[in-house]
């Protein structure tokens, strides 16, 4: 088992306006016994503040055989694109891939699973009318 993280920070005298941090890391956790094994591995990337053109992302994979649980390979990842708005570019992309038959509990096997998700963010127009909470309005009426 191992983990490696890299930190980078920068700031000027006006700390509250200029503080920045970037964290990048990789990890692997492995346990092996004569009849079973478990391995989890992955990486992360984090920026603060997270500005346009930067991302917060992570991915992990797992392989395991413990009792009835048998996962030869499963990989998931997610990326958040900072300050992206509108319907042209996704704000979040997430993927899950289980390419080989995997048994999670006895009698339940997934042959192959692949999921891809893209999420977009369209902020409300600046002149949008604020809709009051009807429950709040009801509690204020005489």
């Amino acid at each position: 088992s191992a983990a490696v993280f890299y930190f980078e920070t920068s700031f000027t005298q006006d700390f509250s306006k200029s503080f920045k941090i970037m964290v990048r890391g990789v990890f692997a956790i492995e346990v092996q016994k004569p009849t079973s094994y478990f391995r989890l591995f992955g990486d992360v990337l984090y920026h603060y503040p997270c500005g346009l053109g930067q991302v917060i992302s992570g991915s992990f994979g797992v392989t395991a055989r413990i009792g009835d649980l048998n996962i030869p390979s499963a990989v998931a990842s997610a990326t958040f694109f900072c300050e992206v708005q509108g319907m042209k570019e996704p704000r979040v992309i997430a993927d899950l891939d289980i390419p080989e038959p995997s048994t999670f509990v006895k009698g339940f096997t997934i042959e192959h699973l692949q999921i891809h998700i893209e999420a977009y963010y369209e902020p409300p127009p600046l002149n949008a009318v604020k809709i009051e909470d009807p429950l709040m309005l009801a509690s204020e009426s005489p």
Side-chain angles (χ1 to χ4, degrees):
S1 299
V4 177
F5 290 93
Y6 168 78
F7 296 89
E8 180 179 305
T9 61
S10 66
F11 52 89
T12 61
Q13 284 185 326
D14 190 355
F15 183 79
S16 64
K17 293 182 181 175
S18 69
F19 177 75
K20 295 179 182 177
I21 187 167
M22 190 269 295
V23 178
R24 181 184 310 255
V26 294
F27 64 91
I29 300 167
E30 190 167 0
V31 178
Q32 189 155 356
K33 303 212 173 185
T35 60
S36 63
Y37 63 89
F38 175 83
R39 182 169 187 246
L40 176 67
F41 54 93
D43 62 79
V44 295
L45 174 62
Y46 177 78
H47 287 94
Y48 178 84
C50 194
L52 188 62
Q54 294 177 314
V55 299
I56 297 173
S57 64
S59 64
F60 74 92
V62 66
T63 60
R65 183 170 187 86
I66 304 168
D68 292 330
L69 176 72
N70 181 22
I71 305 171
S73 174
V75 179
S77 64
T79 303
F80 174 81
F81 299 90
C82 304
E83 294 189 14
V84 171
Q85 297 182 10
M87 300 306 290
K88 291 182 182 177
E89 299 291 328
R91 183 82 180 255
V92 176
I93 295 177
D95 291 289
L96 171 64
D97 188 23
I98 303 175
E100 301 177 53
S102 299
T103 302
F104 293 90
V105 293
K106 191 173 186 172
F108 180 72
T109 298
I110 292 177
E111 294 296 321
H112 179 220
L113 177 65
Q114 198 167 30
I115 298 173
H116 176 79
I117 298 170
E118 291 186 6
Y120 296 80
Y121 173 68
E122 185 71 43
L126 293 176
N127 60 354
V129 176
K130 183 179 177 188
I131 299 174
E132 297 293 331
D133 182 351
L135 295 176
M136 190 62 100
L137 293 175
S139 67
E140 294 175 357
S141 33

mmCIF file of all heavy atoms in Angstrom, residues 11 22 26 32 42 44 53 55 59 62 79 98:
data_model
loop_
_atom_site.group_PDB
_atom_site.id
_atom_site.type_symbol
_atom_site.label_atom_id
_atom_site.label_comp_id
_atom_site.label_asym_id
_atom_site.label_seq_id
_atom_site.Cartn_x
_atom_site.Cartn_y
_atom_site.Cartn_z
ATOM 1 N N PHE A 11 0.858 32.526 -2.560
ATOM 2 C CA PHE A 11 0.066 33.651 -2.055
ATOM 3 C C PHE A 11 0.964 34.876 -1.940
ATOM 4 O O PHE A 11 2.182 34.766 -1.906
ATOM 5 C CB PHE A 11 -0.609 33.341 -0.715
ATOM 6 C CG PHE A 11 0.328 32.822 0.336
ATOM 7 C CD1 PHE A 11 0.992 33.682 1.189
ATOM 8 C CD2 PHE A 11 0.529 31.458 0.480
ATOM 9 C CE1 PHE A 11 1.847 33.199 2.158
ATOM 10 C CE2 PHE A 11 1.395 30.971 1.445
ATOM 11 C CZ PHE A 11 2.049 31.832 2.285
ATOM 12 N N MET A 22 -2.772 23.660 -4.997
ATOM 13 C CA MET A 22 -2.994 22.587 -5.942
ATOM 14 C C MET A 22 -2.505 21.305 -5.281
ATOM 15 O O MET A 22 -1.391 21.268 -4.735
ATOM 16 C CB MET A 22 -2.228 22.837 -7.243
ATOM 17 C CG MET A 22 -2.596 21.894 -8.376
ATOM 18 S SD MET A 22 -1.607 20.393 -8.489
ATOM 19 C CE MET A 22 -0.022 21.019 -8.881
ATOM 20 N N VAL A 26 -1.576 10.203 -5.978
ATOM 21 C CA VAL A 26 -1.889 8.855 -6.439
ATOM 22 C C VAL A 26 -1.840 7.942 -5.220
ATOM 23 O O VAL A 26 -1.117 8.205 -4.261
ATOM 24 C CB VAL A 26 -0.909 8.359 -7.526
ATOM 25 C CG1 VAL A 26 -1.047 9.182 -8.794
ATOM 26 C CG2 VAL A 26 0.515 8.361 -7.040
ATOM 27 N N GLN A 32 -3.526 -8.976 0.122
ATOM 28 C CA GLN A 32 -3.582 -10.271 -0.543
ATOM 29 C C GLN A 32 -3.418 -11.377 0.481
ATOM 30 O O GLN A 32 -2.546 -11.327 1.337
ATOM 31 C CB GLN A 32 -2.489 -10.371 -1.600
ATOM 32 C CG GLN A 32 -2.642 -11.599 -2.444
ATOM 33 C CD GLN A 32 -2.010 -11.432 -3.811
ATOM 34 O OE1 GLN A 32 -1.523 -10.364 -4.154
ATOM 35 N NE2 GLN A 32 -2.014 -12.487 -4.584
ATOM 36 N N GLY A 42 -5.825 4.750 -7.424
ATOM 37 C CA GLY A 42 -6.439 5.913 -8.040
ATOM 38 C C GLY A 42 -5.569 7.137 -7.983
ATOM 39 O O GLY A 42 -4.408 7.089 -7.577
ATOM 40 N N VAL A 44 -5.978 11.764 -7.710
ATOM 41 C CA VAL A 44 -6.814 12.948 -7.486
ATOM 42 C C VAL A 44 -6.043 14.192 -7.914
ATOM 43 O O VAL A 44 -4.821 14.229 -7.867
ATOM 44 C CB VAL A 44 -7.245 13.099 -6.004
ATOM 45 C CG1 VAL A 44 -8.143 11.964 -5.570
ATOM 46 C CG2 VAL A 44 -6.037 13.200 -5.093
ATOM 47 N N GLY A 53 -10.618 26.956 -16.814
ATOM 48 C CA GLY A 53 -9.467 26.263 -17.385
ATOM 49 C C GLY A 53 -8.847 25.238 -16.452
ATOM 50 O O GLY A 53 -7.993 24.457 -16.863
ATOM 51 N N VAL A 55 -9.385 22.075 -13.376
ATOM 52 C CA VAL A 55 -10.301 20.979 -13.079
ATOM 53 C C VAL A 55 -10.058 20.442 -11.677
ATOM 54 O O VAL A 55 -8.984 20.617 -11.113
ATOM 55 C CB VAL A 55 -10.162 19.814 -14.094
ATOM 56 C CG1 VAL A 55 -10.480 20.263 -15.502
ATOM 57 C CG2 VAL A 55 -8.796 19.168 -14.014
ATOM 58 N N SER A 59 -9.939 9.555 -10.149
ATOM 59 C CA SER A 59 -10.305 8.265 -10.722
ATOM 60 C C SER A 59 -9.843 7.185 -9.766
ATOM 61 O O SER A 59 -8.918 7.389 -8.980
ATOM 62 C CB SER A 59 -9.676 8.075 -12.105
ATOM 63 O OG SER A 59 -8.274 8.037 -12.010
ATOM 64 N N VAL A 62 -10.632 -0.784 -8.971
ATOM 65 C CA VAL A 62 -10.657 -1.814 -7.948
ATOM 66 C C VAL A 62 -10.617 -3.190 -8.614
ATOM 67 O O VAL A 62 -11.191 -3.381 -9.682
ATOM 68 C CB VAL A 62 -11.905 -1.669 -7.023
ATOM 69 C CG1 VAL A 62 -13.192 -1.915 -7.771
ATOM 70 C CG2 VAL A 62 -11.809 -2.588 -5.829
ATOM 71 N N THR A 79 -14.625 14.261 -13.512
ATOM 72 C CA THR A 79 -13.912 15.519 -13.708
ATOM 73 C C THR A 79 -14.902 16.661 -13.608
ATOM 74 O O THR A 79 -15.954 16.633 -14.248
ATOM 75 C CB THR A 79 -13.214 15.557 -15.085
ATOM 76 O OG1 THR A 79 -12.325 14.446 -15.178
ATOM 77 C CG2 THR A 79 -12.427 16.854 -15.266
ATOM 78 N N ILE A 98 -17.009 -1.443 -16.058
ATOM 79 C CA ILE A 98 -16.757 -2.789 -15.534
ATOM 80 C C ILE A 98 -16.722 -3.688 -16.771
ATOM 81 O O ILE A 98 -17.766 -4.137 -17.235
ATOM 82 C CB ILE A 98 -17.848 -3.229 -14.531
ATOM 83 C CG1 ILE A 98 -17.933 -2.224 -13.383
ATOM 84 C CG2 ILE A 98 -17.565 -4.634 -14.010
ATOM 85 C CD1 ILE A 98 -19.060 -2.491 -12.404
#
